[in-house]
Structure formats: C-alpha cells, structure tokens
Amino acid sequence: MRAGLSHRRVIIVGAGQAGLAVAAALSLDGLRPQHEFVVVDAAAPGQRSWVSRWHSMELLSDARHSALSPRRLPGDQRRHPRADEMVDYLTYVEAGLGVETDWGVRATGVEHRGNGSTLLLSTTAGEVQTRNVVCATGAAAHPRLPEWASWLRVPGVVLHSSDYLHPGQIPAGDLLIVGGGNSGVQLARELSASHAVTLSTRTPRRHRPAMSYPTAAGEGASLLSRERRPEPVFGDGYEQLRRAGVTIAPAVATADGATVTFADGAQISPGSVILATGYDPGDHWLPEPARTERPRRTMTGLPGLFVAGMPQYGGRGSDTIAGVWKDATTIAQHIINRP
C-alpha cells in the first residue's frame, strides 16, 4: 500500500473530468487534496483518455459549456475546443485544485470492512482503508466490439474508433464504418475525402441540438461528443453524407472472412473496417450490489461508495460537463453529511 493513500476520508478513482469535478466540489466544501482526499488513476502520468482522441476531433459544445465550474476554459468562449485543448484544460484544473494524482494505480475492488463505516479499496498498489470511495472511471471506458468483429479478415485494418487518429492509418480502398452515432458520422465525413466510405447504421436519426444532453457517452451527441460542429449532420436519410459520396447501409448482421452481410441480406467486401460501436462503462470493478442497488442519485448499494459521470447512476446527462458537476456536488454533500 502506498503511504499517500492511507487514512484519507475519500479516495477518488479516476482523474478525468468526473474525478476532477468531484475533487473541485470537495474542495469547495473545505476538504483538502492529499489530506482529506486523494485522486488515483490507472493511466500513466497525465495520459487521460483525451490524449488518444483523433486529431481533428472538436467538442460539440462551445468553450463556455465545456468547462467545470468554477474554472472556465481559457480563450474565446465561442470556439469549439479540440481534444488536445481538453487535455491541457484538465491538467490546468488539476493544478489549480492542488491535486497531485497518484498515477498508475488501478482499482480492482471495494468492499465493506468491519461493523463501522470503513471501506476496503483493493488496488494494484495494495489494499487501502477509507470511509468513502468515488468511482469516476468513465461512462465510456472500454471499447465495445460486436461478436462478429473477430471473424473479419480484410486486406486492410479493423479497428475501433478509439484507436483512430488520422486518415493515414487507413489503407487506400473501400472503407466500412459501423455505427451511426456522432463518432461514425464524423469519421464518415472526414474519410469520405480520401476513401470510398460505407456507413452502416441501425436507424438513421435526426440531429439533436448541442444542449439536449443525451446520455450515450462517446457515441451520442453529448456535450463531450466526438462530433466536430453543432450544425445538423444527420438530417433526413443522412443526405449530407450522401452528398459527400458516403453510402448509407443497414446494420451489420454478421461477417465471415472478408465478407460483411447487412441486415437486408446485402453483402460487401471492404478493404478496411472502423467500428464506431460505442463503449462500456468503467464500473466493472464494483461489487454486484453496488451496480444493481442505487438508492439515490450517485449512491450505490454499498454505503460510502459513490459513482460520478455515469448516466445509469446519476441520471441522464451525467456524462456531460453540466451533468457531471451535478453528480460531483451531490456526492460532496453526501460525504460531508456522512457520520
């Protein structure tokens, strides 16, 4: 066990926007970083998930609506921040709060210990006793891959959208993008300039405005969406994409070697495939009662264990800047009021 983690009132697991929002809320309530609470993260120092976003990505929301209260993004508040700006911004928030994240520490479990209010947090650095644990490990923590993806054998590449950085990664030839959310739409638009793109989507949908706070982190049009601009991009039947030369296809039913079969029975043999198929949340390390019993917003079935930034625990919009701040202030009040 690392000495810096022991005997703290709160341990926040995750140093992204959710974890830093909770740190900010606790600080506003008088708790001191490194004294009353600590922040840990499984990543290498400073390697928040924004580091791996593709180079052209911009937020759907403008800077004014993309910052944690009370620390706004520097610069023009009307611009749409890039992914690299979010990396710098979260580092700026971390430093401003005086938080010294303990990087390279992965949480593996948490359980109640004894008859009191103590929790035992298991980590790759050892076991730590604390009164409160905040799970802030992300609503979009792990790429979700369809079963048929393992059956694909194409001449180019097969990768999840989380591994895409720039067009040069995709060999020349036909490209199939699977997933009609904001990630798939943006990638189809970007790559249509250099590839013959087919976009496979379950149900063509209309664009939702930037302030609608939908719930699907990563693939939905949230404030931290991967969509580049707030203008409508879906439209009726994806007409804008069609005008850019993108072929719109139904959902993928299965794959066999180099052949992909759609729900309507049509088949193609793409050169490469990008899977914009969403993510699973980072709550796998929580015990079953914590994941199934949710007495109130951000609370779990394990007293003293809270979750920030995941809609299934905090409600619609928890994976947005506005929503995660509501989660954070709620959690801070629960912790302050705990005996």
Side-chain angles (χ1 to χ4, degrees):
M1 180 182 68
R2 300 191 189 190
L5 301 184
S6 61
H7 307 297
R8 299 296 184 269
R9 185 172 177 180
V10 189
I11 297 179
I12 301 170
V13 182
Q17 68 197 44
L20 291 181
V22 174
L26 291 174
S27 295
L28 288 175
D29 281 326
L31 274 63
R32 298 171 298 163
Q34 285 75 252
H35 294 275
E36 282 85 14
F37 71 88
V38 294
V39 180
V40 304
D41 197 286
Q47 296 297 299
R48 295 180 173 88
S49 60
W50 288 103
V51 172
S52 62
R53 300 300 191 244
W54 60 74
H55 297 171
S56 64
M57 196 211 96
E58 293 178 356
L59 271 66
L60 182 61
S61 55
D62 60 24
R64 182 182 54 171
H65 296 106
S66 305
L68 294 168
S69 179
R71 298 178 183 275
R72 72 176 192 172
L73 273 157
D76 183 359
Q77 297 300 292
R78 297 168 298 179
R79 79 187 190 284
H80 294 263
R82 303 183 310 274
D84 61 330
E85 289 185 84
M86 292 306 297
V87 174
D88 294 340
Y89 169 70
L90 291 177
T91 301
Y92 159 74
V93 170
E94 181 184 42
L97 293 171
V99 168
E100 298 174 4
T101 299
D102 202 338
W103 297 98
V105 177
R106 182 181 300 278
T108 57
V110 60
E111 61 184 84
H112 182 256
R113 173 58 59 93
N115 296 321
S117 58
T118 300
L119 296 176
L120 183 70
L121 177 67
S122 300
T123 78
T124 51
E127 296 183 336
V128 189
Q129 291 189 16
T130 182
R131 290 177 61 192
N132 302 280
V133 172
V134 180
C135 170
T137 42
H142 307 291
R144 185 186 304 126
L145 300 174
E147 182 182 8
W148 51 260
S150 63
W151 308 332
L152 275 172
R153 298 291 183 272
V154 298
V157 298
V158 177
L159 50 82
H160 189 269
S161 57
S162 59
D163 294 319
Y164 173 79
L165 294 175
H166 55 80
Q169 286 177 279
I170 312 301
D174 293 347
L175 169 65
L176 172 65
I177 299 175
V178 181
N182 279 337
S183 293
V185 168
Q186 178 182 344
L187 292 180
R189 185 168 55 186
E190 175 167 292
L191 288 162
S192 65
S194 54
H195 295 75
V197 175
T198 298
L199 176 65
S200 166
T201 177
R202 292 185 181 277
T203 306
R205 65 192 88 170
R206 292 179 180 272
H207 170 78
R208 291 195 249 185
M211 298 303 292
S212 62
Y213 301 155
T215 58
E219 300 304 323
S222 70
L223 287 184
L224 292 181
S225 164
R226 294 184 175 88
E227 178 52 48
R228 296 181 60 186
R229 288 284 187 261
E231 296 90 6
V233 293
F234 296 128
D236 293 328
Y238 287 78
E239 285 305 319
Q240 293 186 38
L241 290 180
R242 285 196 175 97
R243 286 196 294 271
V246 175
T247 299
I248 307 299
V252 172
T254 189
D256 183 10
T259 303
V260 174
T261 303
F262 297 114
D264 64 356
Q267 294 182 327
I268 64 170
S269 297
S272 295
V273 178
I274 296 179
L275 302 167
T277 47
Y279 296 80
D280 292 321
D283 63 348
H284 60 282
W285 57 277
L286 303 184
E288 184 66 21
R291 288 187 279 116
T292 57
E293 301 172 23
R294 300 158 194 166
R296 295 171 61 187
R297 182 184 180 106
T298 71
M299 299 178 72
T300 70
L302 191 63
L305 173 62
F306 306 94
V307 180
M310 299 187 196
Q312 61 267 45
Y313 296 90
R316 184 175 182 178
S318 286
D319 53 347
T320 69
I321 284 286
V324 78
W325 182 245
K326 183 177 181 180
D327 280 6
T329 55
T330 301
I331 290 170
Q333 283 306 301
H334 287 322
I335 289 173
I336 294 299
N337 294 332
R338 284 199 82 213

